Amino acid sequence: MYTSKRVVQARSHQELYRHGRCMTFLVLLLIGVCCTAAETLGAEFEFHPGIAVREEYNDNLFLSEESKEHEFITRVLPSVEARYAASLWTWDLKYTLDYIHYARNLRGSETLHHLNLSGLIEPVKGKLFVKVIEEYGRVSLDITRDFTRESTFARQSDRNFLSVNPYYVFRLSPVLTVTAGYIFADTRYDSKAGVDKTDHTLYVESAYDVSRYTSLTAGYKFVQEDSERDDFLRHDVYVGARHEYADKSFITLRIGNSLWDYDTKDSNSQIFWSAGLTHNFRTFTGFLETGVDYYEDPQGTVRRVTRYLAGIKALKDRAELNLSAGATKYKDEDTELSGTSDRETKYGATGTLKYELTPKMTGFLDLTVERIEHDDADTHTKRFLGGLKLDYLLWENTVLSLSYYYTDSSSPDIPGDNYENNRVFAEVKKRF
């Protein structure tokens, strides 16, 4: 039984932003090094700064039913995109500084950071790799609902995620490879509701190509997590298969078992699995997915997530369509093991449509309908989210956008889930 518990203290908002500034400095230093290297070594290097100015009218800033407050919001978003590619390493960067000003001073002005940094280094060509990922930005604290679609702050937290993954690929034969590696992953939240954690993962996975169309996988993963909520060790063993039965049409299967060894509560063993079917029709691609997996939500609760999903994807001429529908069940494993009920089931459908109206104008439509059953409270929440956006190319790399988003949330017994929200945006964006 793992008993050594590390005391992890949450970083304050100021500490997170100091980290963000330090992170930005390192990114800029990296860009400078890459630029110099690109000139001397002939590597590929791209650097694209940009700027956007966005005006928003919001008729229910705090997503409240009774005390609705409207606000005019100005956002200035300077950004940079960079890519560096050489024979042994590749880096991709996207960073946006998001300054937000509230005209009626219902909230103080704030500065957000949105960062996506990924790198792949090959110290030994084709054998030894190091993958690095850093993400910084706002995330929803509720895994059943993405509140970042409705607000810049409600029920959200700034999160900083860092992952460093060195791994080695053993090519034992033309059809058999074995990959072994280690992952260091660190997650930090600004909100006290978020649970900070550090994961150390050792893993090994083998892949065997039975034929050109069929492959098998098998693996083992060991995870040690140091968390503000509860430390644990986890052992995962799994096998999987993929078979392509026609062009761009395939079946995938995976099944495994997790053994959870907690510091402060009983150990338990859980089965996880997934199955999927993707079929390429002449005019669209259809898919079916189902499975059971275990996730930690931002508040540190381990959830058993069971999903059933079906959908289609179509791309033709000037239109791109995505439709999906299904059900997802969320179970709190702590209450499940103790015999109490703490479950939520989400039924929903979502669709997106992108259509090129003219060579310079593109329209976007986004619709989501959900019903969330709160089994523990014997009640439910119904949600409708809709959005319409028009992009017009003013001149090269300069786009004018107009958009409207509407949210309707209702529940018979949860007052905080009753609200309507209308948001109107106008934006000019320039990419250099």
Side-chain angles (χ1 to χ4, degrees), residues 3 12 30 66 149 159 168 173 260 280 314 358 375 388 418:
T3 56
S12 67
L30 172 65
E66 297 181 353
R149 295 180 59 187
R159 184 194 68 171
Y168 195 93
S173 77
W260 300 73
N280 182 32
T358 71
D375 295 345
L388 179 64
N418 288 305

Side-chain angles (χ1 to χ4, degrees), residues 16 22 39 64-65 90 155 161 180 202 212 231 348 354 430:
L16 272 173
C22 179
E39 293 178 355
S64 173
E65 179 183 23
T90 302
R155 309 185 199 186
F161 172 77
L202 295 172
R212 178 182 175 183
D231 297 349
K354 176 183 177 182
K430 172 68 176 178

Side-chain angles (χ1 to χ4, degrees), residues 37 41-44 83-91 120 122 125:
L41 301 178
E44 296 180 11
R83 176 177 174 80
Y84 172 77
S87 60
L88 295 179
W89 59 347
T90 302
W91 292 96
L120 182 63
E122 294 185 61
K125 183 68 174 179

Side-chain angles (χ1 to χ4, degrees), residues 199-249:
D199 291 329
H200 303 274
T201 302
L202 295 172
Y203 67 93
V204 59
E205 181 178 270
S206 62
Y208 178 68
D209 294 329
V210 178
S211 70
R212 178 182 175 183
Y213 305 104
T214 305
S215 61
L216 303 176
T217 59
Y220 166 75
K221 182 186 297 183
F222 168 77
V223 181
Q224 175 187 318
E225 179 168 299
D226 298 327
S227 167
E228 285 187 316
R229 177 162 178 163
D230 199 358
D231 297 349
F232 64 78
L233 303 179
R234 192 180 86 228
H235 303 266
D236 290 353
V237 180
Y238 59 91
V239 295
R242 184 183 188 276
H243 175 65
E244 185 173 350
Y245 60 88
D247 182 38
K248 300 179 182 179
S249 301

Side-chain angles (χ1 to χ4, degrees), residues 272-309:
F272 60 88
W273 59 274
S274 64
L277 169 65
T278 298
H279 187 81
N280 182 32
F281 296 89
R282 296 186 64 181
T283 57
F284 66 92
T285 299
F287 65 90
L288 298 171
E289 294 180 7
T290 183
V292 174
D293 281 295
Y294 294 82
Y295 302 99
E296 283 183 273
D297 65 20
Q299 299 178 62
T301 301
V302 176
R303 300 285 193 100
R304 183 169 69 186
V305 180
T306 305
R307 66 187 185 281
Y308 309 91
L309 185 66

Side-chain angles (χ1 to χ4, degrees), residues 94-112:
K94 291 184 180 180
Y95 173 75
T96 301
L97 179 69
D98 188 357
Y99 173 76
I100 306 176
H101 174 72
Y102 300 89
R104 300 182 63 223
N105 296 315
L106 296 179
R107 281 175 60 87
S109 298
E110 57 184 333
T111 302
L112 308 183

Side-chain angles (χ1 to χ4, degrees), residues 320-379:
E320 181 178 339
L321 175 67
N322 291 275
L323 297 173
S324 63
T328 306
K329 298 182 178 180
Y330 304 87
K331 294 184 180 180
D332 183 338
E333 282 303 288
D334 290 346
T335 58
E336 188 74 13
L337 293 171
S338 64
T340 60
S341 175
D342 190 359
R343 309 178 184 181
E344 292 176 300
T345 303
K346 179 170 68 176
Y347 305 93
T350 185
T352 61
L353 173 64
K354 176 183 177 182
Y355 189 80
E356 185 180 318
L357 300 168
T358 71
K360 288 191 173 184
M361 181 178 292
T362 303
F364 302 85
L365 179 65
D366 187 352
L367 299 175
T368 299
V369 179
E370 297 176 342
R371 179 185 174 95
I372 304 173
E373 300 284 349
H374 308 280
D375 295 345
D376 55 330
D378 193 25
T379 187

